Amino acid sequence: NFSLTIDELIEDTANNRICMWLSARADTAAGEYINEYVWLLDFDESGKKITRTKEFSDSVMARDFFPKLRTAMKEEQRSRKGPNGTHPNAR
């Protein structure tokens, strides 16, 4: 259920470039994920093919969130396994 919302879009048609400020949101095993991104996209002369990308995000948020998510996902996997360490539906 990951979603991105474009908060602002700047189009530079003379240089075949767009810049977007985006908000991200998702419900995860570690709780709600909320982050912001800035994407810079350069296009070829036709405007149909991306030739270069740059992405900027809240790296402090990612540094703190993703280890929690990794731990929550491992715990979720362990809780699905049976007493002998295998998944209850495994044969």
Side-chain angles (χ1 to χ4, degrees):
N1 68 358
F2 181 85
S3 65
L4 283 172
T5 302
I6 299 172
D7 296 313
E8 189 171 342
L9 179 112
I10 300 169
E11 186 175 8
D12 179 357
T13 54
N15 291 301
N16 296 329
R17 174 180 282 175
I18 63 169
C19 182
M20 292 184 286
W21 169 32
L22 304 122
S23 298
R25 190 200 163 287
D27 294 317
T28 75
E32 188 175 39
Y33 171 82
I34 297 174
N35 205 347
E36 292 182 277
Y37 301 92
V38 172
W39 289 353
L40 180 63
L41 306 173
D42 290 338
F43 293 84
D44 66 4
E45 290 180 9
S46 73
K48 294 180 181 179
K49 181 180 178 183
I50 296 171
T51 59
R52 186 176 75 144
T53 65
K54 287 187 180 181
E55 177 183 347
F56 301 90
S57 65
D58 182 346
S59 57
V60 172
M61 185 278 171
R63 178 201 67 200
D64 295 344
F65 180 80
F66 286 109
K68 292 177 190 174
L69 178 60
R70 193 173 304 112
T71 300
M73 291 173 71
K74 284 180 182 177
E75 287 176 11
E76 214 174 62
Q77 283 179 329
R78 275 189 221 114
S79 70
R80 287 190 208 141
K81 291 182 179 180
N84 63 356
T86 61
H87 191 279
N89 295 332
R91 295 178 193 230

